[in-house]
Amino acid sequence: MMIARDFNSQRFPHPCTQGFTFVATPTLPKGSSLGWSWNKHLGLGLGLSSTMKKGVGGRIRARVRARAASGDEDDGQKQRVVGRRAYPFHEIEPKWQEYWEKERTFRTPDEIDTSKPKFYVLDMFPYPSGAGLHVGHPLGYTATDILARFKRMQGYNVLHPMGWDAFGLPAEQYAIETGTHPKVTTLRNINRFRSQLKLLGFSYDWDREISTTEPDYYKWTQWIFLQLFKRGLAYQAEVPVNWCPALGTVLANEEVVDGVSERGGHPVIRKPMRQWMLKITEYADRLLEDLDDLEWPESVKEMQRNWIGRSEGAELIFNVLDGNGLASNVELVVYTTRPDTIFGATYLVVAPEHPLLLSFASEAQLKHVEEYKDIASRKSDLERTELQKEKTGIFSGTYARNPANGEAIPIWVADYVLGSYGTGAIMAVPAHDSRDYEFAVKYDIPIRWVVSPSDDAVPDTGKAYSGEGTLSNSSNMASGLDINGLLSAEAASRVIEWAEKTGSGKKKVNYKLRDWLFARQRYWGEPIPVIFLDETGESVPLDEDELPLLLPELDDFTPTGTGEPPLSKAESWLKTTDASSGKPARRETSTMPQWAGSCWYYLRFMDPKNSKELVAKNKERYWGPVDVYVGGAEHAVLHLLYARFWHKVLYDIGIVSTKEPFKCVINQGIILGEIQYTAYKNAEGNYVSAESTDSLNGCTQEIVSEEYVKKSGEFFVLKGNPELRVAARAYKMSKSRGNVVNPDDVVFQYGADSLRLYEMFMGPFRDSKTWSTSGIDGVHRFLGRTWRLVVGSPLSDGTFPDRTMAVEDKPNLEQLRAIHRCIAKVTEEIQGTRFNTGISAMMEFINAAYKWEKLPRRVIEEFVLLLSPYAPHISEELWFRLGNTNSLAYEQFPTANPDYLKDSLIILPVQINGKTRGTIQVEEDCSEEDAFLLASQDEKLSRYIDGKPIKKRIFVPGKILNVILDRQSVKVGV
């Protein structure tokens, strides 16, 4: 056999053979650059070994046969896989996709019967990248499509739209790198995504398609901004931001990883800039309280609670001391949730960006403080607050006085305190806070215990005690504060009361939530509809009738290098006049962040063509809120929190009628790439067992193909040497790792229905799962068996007959029980989004149906309707072949008859002429006629009954059936 590289050939399904064409020749030439190697432990090498037994012996041979049968090696991809197809999905799927598009089958009309129930099911709409979809993306889309199709068939008005979150940094960076305008690449990417989604047969209403980059859409994004501005919820402020000089823009915290930009890996620094902010903190309490009523995963709700971070505590004032130890005019206000521990405060910590830091740092320490501040500016907030990282800090050279006991305590600067949280300063109580404890131990700062879980003093245990308890060492006559012996809660109240009385502080409710930084120094985003008067610099909002403010065409959208956004280059666009006063002005040159367009798109889907208002009130009242919203857990906080904030503002101004946008949120799991098996060689070139990380230091790795690995207990070992354990791990799909699976390839090999079905069958919808190209074979065979059950076996030329195997006979009890149990299970599992077990129920039904002599049309039609939400193409075709002329999309979904769900089967003895000859399984209340019918169909009993004259039957319900034959006509010995 010879192997030749052919990049234009049809790719083979196994990842190790992608891009190779196998040509039948007698032998492998000696000296070939791809010469096979054999290892007694690993088997065939070079990463192609997995194809030798399974590939060449199976799939590859089938393709060679198919090509040979066609008589034309260059006759296209279709000819090469004819021999493998379990059913003609390559004809069925394009046919029905064309039908749905032509007939606009899934269009939700603007005017509908609002007396019917509604179901609004929504995907978190995608960012259309040039790479297109990989097989992980359709997981959530398939689930929502199943729900949408199911609800249509139950008589609901269904809204199931799709659109594109298309502004943002990736398109702009690609444009800068290639010189292509982002509008061009965005449209190209959208077209690519749309074609892939249509290829999978999703029942979206494409008439409602929207893109955040279209002016008739972002007109209303700008309109919402104006409402925020008019209500004081949008303002400008000088704030520390993540600035990336290379990208020329501000980055959100989540866009910074280990001090560099997530995209491109460029250094990021913290620096103050004047930015647009949205006052999300005004809604903090409502965002927190309304979580309780949502049908969301508890983990997501908890993440939002933690992000909002409401806490009750106190602000306490510490006077900064001058060089002589006397109180200066500088006061440090600290926020603490544990005012009861004030006597345990042995130092203060201020954030490196604290506005007063340079005013009180000592002259001797000033240089060191500035150096530390510069280093901290290069770290993200997440890096600085990471619990596992080693704490760093610098002494400011200055002290402050503890108001509770009069002690002078040192002021430190440390990056584990953020300027954006509380007051940017804390009182450090190392005995009762783990971060403070680590810091105090490292820098040899005193640790004083003031809280114990009992009346006994707490010894130094080598770690902080952060719980509540009884106060000790907490009294000072000079200050007038004595909380010794009090429990923590009462002591905290006493300290706040004392602080307010003496002017040393006050009660304070605080939030971790910060106002939303709402500006980006980018080109590819929504223009902010505000101008600044040349004379005064005053900010003036545009009139609503001036919207949309269009994004100007720019040939050069590279960063300016000065911090000025790219829009500052659009001079003719930049200069304008105030419509009300006629005074000269300049436009805002920052654009909105990508989050803006995705905050409210669910509302626009309700009324996408409305040019007069964001959404018509009657349509919003009917369709809102979204019933089911499906997307990745990575959006659990920011996107969902921002959308909830905007929705509540729109609720307050009467645009929407509900307090929350999304009734139920579901996070789908991640599909990981195929499992990768790795063997290890030591320095001597010998294989070693992968039993611990330490034992593999200095070893080289070697990828092992799946067929040479087997499971042994909890681990994987080599088949050739079970003593050698290999590492087995699945990774998230990524281009860099080379484990991305293109859904287009899977659809070509197996069909869209197989891909849909497999992704639902892999495991529980919310769990992460590992992709297996070979695993899709199982569901593909199931669809093939379903096809052959209904249509029959293929003809000699490989095609299938036009007829079906269905008959008009009335179904028997066994068949009715089978289909109604399947109906009940599939219905229940769709409603519970347990799609994999619903598929199992359908597989069980097909197994049972293959044992029947006849296939009643009534039963098989109900099964096809059950299958249709999962595998719509094959279902439509079978429905049509069963004699129906309309699409099944709006047929009534079957309902289970409880009479056929009872588990009341009994074993009924059957006698022939008084002698027991066998038993049958019947319902407890089975009639004589049904019992006799079952007996006559039983393989063993039928030979006593068939063709014999029956004198009478004796039937005792639930006890016995005795068939008395006419002895005059029965031969001796029967």
Side-chain angles (χ1 to χ4, degrees):
M1 176 174 284
M2 179 180 71
I3 298 181
R5 187 67 158 152
D6 178 7
F7 287 94
N8 297 315
S9 68
Q10 164 56 29
R11 292 187 172 186
F12 288 88
H14 198 286
C16 291
T17 61
Q18 285 190 1
F20 286 92
T21 297
F22 285 71
V23 184
T25 58
T27 59
L28 180 71
K30 290 185 179 181
S32 167
S33 60
L34 290 177
W36 302 112
S37 64
W38 183 265
N39 178 282
K40 66 178 181 180
H41 297 313
L42 302 183
L44 204 55
L46 296 179
L48 292 171
S49 53
S50 62
T51 66
M52 287 302 291
K53 291 181 181 177
K54 184 165 78 175
V56 175
R59 297 179 180 175
I60 296 170
R61 259 204 307 266
R63 295 193 182 190
V64 172
R65 283 198 305 269
R67 181 182 297 181
S70 72
D72 185 359
E73 290 188 2
D74 300 316
D75 193 28
Q77 295 175 336
K78 290 185 179 180
Q79 292 290 346
R80 302 176 191 175
V81 292
V82 168
R84 299 183 58 250
R85 289 193 171 121
Y87 70 100
F89 61 83
H90 61 295
E91 298 171 359
I92 294 170
E93 293 180 356
K95 168 186 172 180
W96 287 103
Q97 288 165 16
E98 182 181 351
Y99 173 88
W100 295 329
E101 185 151 0
K102 180 182 177 182
E103 299 296 326
R104 301 165 78 192
T105 303
F106 307 113
R107 177 177 176 268
T108 304
D110 291 332
E111 302 301 326
I112 56 175
D113 179 2
T114 56
S115 66
K116 292 172 62 176
K118 65 93 179 180
F119 184 68
Y120 185 1
V121 57
L122 183 65
D123 301 290
M124 291 185 185
F125 69 172
Y127 187 92
S129 70
L133 300 174
H134 64 63
V135 293
H137 294 116
L139 179 65
Y141 305 154
T142 304
T144 58
D145 197 57
I146 290 170
L147 293 172
R149 289 175 178 274
F150 172 67
K151 287 294 186 178
R152 283 192 201 97
M153 297 172 75
Q154 286 192 320
Y156 284 71
N157 288 326
V158 172
L159 184 57
H160 185 38
M162 175 52 71
W164 318 105
D165 188 14
F167 271 133
L169 185 60
E172 183 162 330
Q173 282 305 113
Y174 183 80
I176 293 170
E177 293 165 7
T178 64
T180 309
H181 197 283
K183 180 186 291 185
V184 175
T185 57
T186 298
L187 288 175
R188 184 169 64 220
N189 296 342
I190 286 174
N191 290 336
R192 168 80 171 132
F193 266 59
R194 187 193 302 109
S195 67
Q196 287 187 295
L197 293 177
K198 287 186 175 182
L199 188 68
L200 294 169
F202 296 133
S203 62
Y204 294 122
D205 178 0
W206 289 107
D207 284 3
R208 293 175 182 258
E209 180 182 3
I210 59 175
S211 169
T212 56
T213 63
E214 294 301 322
D216 59 355
Y217 179 83
Y218 69 71
K219 166 186 176 178
W220 297 105
T221 309
Q222 293 171 336
W223 183 88
I224 295 172
F225 179 88
L226 290 180
Q227 312 316 305
L228 293 163
F229 183 84
K230 292 172 184 176
R231 286 160 179 77
L233 297 172
Y235 65 96
Q236 283 190 300
E238 187 97 350
V239 293
V241 298
N242 299 314
W243 172 254
C244 179
L247 298 178
T249 188
V250 170
L251 299 177
N253 285 335
E254 65 276 4
E255 295 171 319
V256 181
V257 180
D258 296 331
V260 299
S261 62
E262 184 180 36
R263 183 172 180 84
H266 304 295
V268 175
I269 62 173
R270 297 279 286 180
K271 78 171 191 175
M273 289 183 69
R274 189 161 183 81
Q275 297 285 297
W276 282 101
M277 310 289 292
L278 297 189
K279 204 174 287 185
I280 190 173
T281 50
E282 288 284 314
Y283 284 75
D285 283 328
R286 288 168 63 182
L287 290 168
L288 198 59
E289 292 163 6
D290 292 344
L291 281 170
D292 294 337
D293 299 327
L294 298 176
E295 298 173 25
W296 290 19
E298 193 56 41
S299 59
V300 173
K301 293 200 282 188
E302 194 58 30
M303 287 172 71
Q304 290 213 358
R305 291 186 186 106
N306 292 337
W307 190 267
I308 296 168
R310 186 183 191 278
S311 61
E312 294 185 3
E315 284 185 349
L316 301 173
I317 300 172
F318 287 70
N319 284 109
V320 177
L321 305 179
D322 61 20
N324 298 316
L326 301 176
S328 69
N329 60 356
V330 179
E331 294 180 339
L332 275 181
V333 180
V334 305
Y335 174 75
T336 178
T337 59
R338 293 293 302 273
D340 56 312
T341 64
I342 188 171
F343 284 96
T346 57
Y347 65 104
L348 298 183
V349 181
V350 298
E353 58 272 20
H354 195 287
L356 297 178
L357 173 58
L358 298 183
S359 68
F360 64 74
S362 72
E363 188 175 344
Q365 287 292 100
L366 187 59
K367 180 180 178 182
H368 302 299
V369 168
E370 288 180 329
E371 289 174 352
Y372 184 81
K373 182 178 179 180
D374 181 60
I375 293 170
S377 72
R378 297 186 179 93
K379 300 180 182 178
S380 70
D381 290 355
L382 189 62
E383 289 177 272
R384 288 171 54 176
T385 56
E386 188 180 359
L387 294 177
Q388 287 75 22
K389 82 175 191 73
E390 184 179 359
K391 306 296 180 290
T392 65
I394 188 79
F395 177 43
S396 71
T398 310
Y399 291 79
R401 191 173 305 286
N402 186 332
N405 55 20
E407 288 184 356
I409 59 177
I411 305 173
W412 284 75
V413 186
D415 63 8
Y416 75 86
V417 175
L418 301 177
S420 59
Y421 177 68
T423 63
I426 64 164
M427 67 175 199
V429 185
H432 305 295
D433 182 277
S434 58
R435 295 186 309 170
D436 297 345
Y437 184 88
E438 292 172 22
F439 193 89
V441 169
K442 180 175 180 178
Y443 293 104
D444 198 24
I445 301 173
I447 299 172
R448 180 179 300 137
W449 302 87
V450 295
V451 181
S452 59
S454 64
D455 291 336
D456 300 328
V458 177
D460 186 347
T461 60
K463 62 180 181 179
Y465 171 67
S466 58
E468 297 186 347
T470 305
L471 275 295
S472 60
N473 301 322
S474 299
S475 175
N476 185 271
M477 296 297 293
S479 68
L481 181 60
D482 180 5
I483 53 175
N484 273 334
L486 299 181
L487 295 177
S488 292
E490 185 181 354
S493 297
R494 187 75 61 85
V495 170
I496 293 171
E497 182 182 330
W498 164 83
E500 291 178 338
K501 184 177 180 180
T502 61
S504 300
K506 61 182 179 180
K507 185 175 182 179
K508 180 71 173 178
V509 174
N510 202 33
Y511 301 89
K512 288 182 182 177
L513 181 67
R514 301 292 91 198
D515 279 346
W516 177 6
L517 196 156
F518 195 74
R520 297 292 186 269
Q521 286 64 51
R522 301 173 185 160
Y523 167 69
W524 194 235
E526 297 94 335
I528 295 175
V530 173
I531 60 174
F532 301 94
L533 300 181
D534 287 353
E535 291 181 2
T536 63
E538 177 189 356
S539 57
V540 178
L542 294 185
D543 289 337
E544 291 179 13
D545 59 10
E546 294 183 75
L547 301 180
L549 172 59
L550 297 177
L551 190 65
E553 293 289 340
L554 274 184
D555 295 326
D556 179 15
F557 24 76
T558 56
T560 60
T562 64
E564 281 290 312
L567 283 181
S568 63
K569 300 176 183 179
E571 294 186 9
S572 60
W573 176 87
L574 186 61
K575 297 177 182 178
T576 187
T577 55
D578 178 20
S580 58
S581 67
K583 294 179 179 180
R586 293 170 64 85
R587 298 192 189 280
E588 171 61 68
T589 53
S590 291
T591 53
M592 299 186 196
Q594 186 177 344
W595 305 103
S598 62
C599 274
W600 71 280
Y601 73 106
Y602 59 94
L603 293 171
R604 194 59 177 174
F605 279 136
M606 300 175 185
D607 195 10
K609 309 301 182 188
N610 194 330
S611 61
K612 296 182 179 179
E613 53 187 333
L614 186 148
V615 60
K617 283 184 168 52
N618 63 322
K619 293 180 180 179
E620 185 280 326
R621 280 195 299 270
Y622 179 73
W623 287 115
V626 175
D627 294 285
V628 175
Y629 192 32
V630 175
E634 66 272 17
H635 301 298
V637 175
L638 295 180
H639 162 61
L640 290 177
L641 198 64
Y642 293 156
R644 294 180 64 219
F645 164 48
W646 276 33
H647 191 88
K648 289 182 183 301
V649 175
L650 294 174
Y651 176 78
D652 290 347
I653 63 178
I655 302 300
V656 298
S657 59
T658 63
K659 291 183 179 180
E660 289 286 336
F662 314 118
K663 181 180 179 182
C664 172
V665 167
I666 300 174
N667 299 132
Q668 79 270 24
I670 297 172
I671 293 184
L672 304 171
E674 295 195 83
I675 294 177
Q676 179 177 296
Y677 301 96
T678 308
Y680 294 86
K681 280 184 178 179
N682 60 21
E684 289 75 36
N686 299 317
Y687 287 98
V688 295
S689 188
E691 294 178 1
S692 69
T693 304
D694 294 338
S695 67
L696 302 178
N697 289 336
C699 290
T700 58
Q701 299 181 10
E702 190 167 317
I703 304 301
V704 186
S705 56
E706 183 180 6
E707 64 183 291
Y708 297 107
V709 175
K710 67 177 182 179
K711 190 82 180 287
S712 177
E714 298 180 5
F715 307 103
F716 290 90
V717 298
L718 295 174
K719 289 180 180 178
N721 187 345
E723 299 301 316
L724 287 177
R725 188 189 304 174
V726 297
R729 182 179 175 184
Y731 298 88
K732 187 175 180 179
M733 289 188 182
S734 67
K735 288 190 292 184
S736 61
R737 192 169 288 279
N739 63 348
V740 172
V741 179
N742 188 332
D744 297 6
D745 295 338
V746 179
V747 170
F748 179 82
Q749 300 286 347
Y750 298 98
D753 285 340
S754 292
L755 175 59
R756 292 169 58 112
L757 211 61
Y758 176 57
E759 297 216 349
M760 295 297 96
F761 191 57
M762 291 171 75
F765 177 58
R766 293 164 176 80
D767 293 356
S768 293
K769 297 163 277 287
T770 302
W771 177 268
S772 172
T773 301
S774 59
I776 200 170
D777 279 325
V779 294
H780 188 60
R781 286 195 300 271
F782 161 67
L783 291 177
R785 294 187 75 224
T786 301
W787 176 264
R788 292 190 300 276
L789 176 71
V790 181
V791 175
S793 299
L795 303 174
S796 58
D797 62 356
T799 63
F800 288 86
D802 293 332
R803 59 175 170 75
T804 69
M805 306 298 290
V807 297
E808 301 300 332
D809 294 29
K810 181 181 177 182
N812 60 35
L813 180 61
E814 176 192 358
Q815 292 166 334
L816 290 171
R817 287 182 62 84
I819 188 58
H820 282 275
R821 284 182 171 177
C822 188
I823 292 169
K825 185 66 172 176
V826 171
T827 303
E828 180 183 358
E829 300 308 80
I830 289 179
Q831 291 171 333
T833 63
R834 296 179 294 271
F835 305 111
N836 56 322
T837 46
I839 296 170
S840 296
M842 289 188 282
M843 288 178 170
E844 291 174 9
F845 173 84
I846 291 297
N847 288 338
Y850 260 92
K851 299 175 184 177
W852 303 340
E853 289 185 8
K854 295 181 180 179
L855 191 66
R857 181 183 304 277
R858 171 183 158 191
V859 169
I860 204 60
E861 282 191 342
E862 289 191 319
F863 175 78
V864 168
L865 293 174
L866 291 182
L867 179 64
S868 64
Y870 288 87
H873 305 88
I874 189 174
S875 300
E876 288 274 24
E877 182 66 19
L878 292 175
W879 184 252
F880 174 74
R881 289 181 176 231
L882 286 164
N884 300 286
T885 55
N886 295 322
S887 167
L888 52 65
Y890 294 93
E891 291 292 326
Q892 180 65 42
F893 198 81
T895 54
N897 185 334
D899 292 342
Y900 298 115
L901 304 180
K902 299 174 183 176
D903 288 322
S904 55
L905 292 177
I906 61 170
I907 302 300
L908 184 74
V910 178
Q911 295 181 343
I912 306 297
N913 292 336
K915 186 173 183 178
T916 301
R917 297 292 188 179
T919 60
I920 55 174
Q921 192 177 49
V922 299
E923 290 282 349
E924 201 169 17
D925 56 355
C926 178
S927 68
E928 179 180 336
E929 275 304 321
D930 285 338
F932 180 75
L933 179 62
L934 288 171
S936 62
Q937 292 175 343
D938 183 82
E939 184 178 356
K940 181 180 178 182
L941 294 169
S942 62
R943 65 190 183 94
Y944 293 98
I945 301 173
D946 287 354
K948 311 296 190 303
I950 297 173
K951 187 175 182 179
K952 65 176 180 177
R953 297 193 302 244
I954 301 171
F955 179 67
V956 180
K959 299 293 184 180
I960 197 169
L961 171 65
N962 188 6
V963 180
I964 307 298
L965 303 177
D966 186 348
R967 289 186 176 274
Q968 293 179 355
S969 304
V970 178
K971 295 181 179 179
V972 177
V974 174

